Amino acid sequence: MFAGKSVTASEFAKKFGQFQHSALAGEIVTVTSYGRDVGAFVPVSLLEDYKRLKQQEREVLITGQLPDDILADIAAAEYDTAP
């Protein structure tokens, strides 16, 4: 779906306009520094997908850190019944 290329940070800075057009065309541009990936310039549609997925991540809670009223609700919950 998304093709991509890898460029150095200095090349990215010098040719930003070119890479902006690449992103508009649906291409991912990976930016490297000293041979390591440091970031990416992505199409806005891919960014929106990323934001949507981040919102759907589960939150991990430690029971010892939950307020007493929530712990009481969990303890009183009945399974196999509609809320």
Side-chain angles (χ1 to χ4, degrees):
M1 178 179 185
F2 294 99
K5 67 173 85 172
S6 182
V7 299
T8 64
S10 59
E11 182 181 3
F12 182 79
K14 290 177 190 174
K15 300 178 181 176
F16 176 79
Q18 174 185 336
F19 298 123
Q20 185 177 17
H21 289 292
S22 295
L24 288 170
E27 188 172 24
I28 297 171
V29 179
T30 303
V31 181
T32 64
S33 181
Y34 298 100
R36 296 186 326 202
D37 292 349
V38 295
F41 198 50
V42 299
V44 72
S45 60
L46 188 59
L47 178 61
E48 294 302 322
D49 288 345
Y50 171 79
K51 288 178 181 178
R52 181 181 46 78
L53 289 171
K54 285 298 285 182
Q55 287 178 339
Q56 293 176 357
E57 281 186 351
R58 292 184 177 197
E59 184 179 356
V60 176
L61 301 172
I62 299 171
T63 55
Q65 296 175 348
L66 292 173
D68 291 338
D69 60 325
I70 293 178
L71 287 174
D73 289 344
I74 292 171
E78 295 182 23
Y79 296 94
D80 294 327
T81 60

